[in-house]
Amino acid sequence: MSGPVQQEMERLLTEAFAPTRLEVINDSVSHAGHSGDDGSGESHFTVVIEAPAFADKSRLERQRMVNKALGDIPGERVHALAIQASAPTS
């Protein structure tokens, strides 16, 4: 079951990139009791996203684009975010 932060991340990324693939994976249960676990169950995520907007962009540029699209979520509302961003292959 996805919570409100996960749903908001999915919405923001879909609106920003119209991805051909999007997975927002809640990894929080694996980090329960660790640093950054705020008890919300939505503190650690992995984003797997594939979108044409990432073509000809470096890995760092792609990560910055995702972080920008997510606004205050990374670092403010989510403790850890792993990003795997790619462009579709022909």
Side-chain angles (χ1 to χ4, degrees), residues 12 28 46 57 64 72:
L12 290 169
S28 301
T46 297
K57 303 287 188 215
R64 286 179 176 161
D72 73 339

Side-chain angles (χ1 to χ4, degrees), residues 6-68:
Q6 182 175 351
Q7 292 171 3
E8 184 177 357
M9 291 170 64
E10 291 169 349
R11 180 183 60 77
L12 290 169
L13 293 171
T14 298
E15 290 173 0
F17 301 110
T20 54
R21 177 179 179 208
L22 176 62
E23 293 179 61
V24 178
I25 304 159
N26 187 338
D27 299 319
S28 301
V29 71
S30 300
H31 300 275
H34 298 171
S35 175
D37 175 28
D38 61 5
S40 71
E42 291 193 294
S43 60
H44 295 71
F45 287 91
T46 297
V47 170
V48 180
I49 183 169
E50 178 183 275
F54 299 131
D56 301 320
K57 303 287 188 215
S58 71
R59 193 186 95 193
L60 181 59
E61 289 172 313
R62 293 171 184 185
Q63 290 180 347
R64 286 179 176 161
M65 290 167 70
V66 169
N67 280 318
K68 183 177 180 181

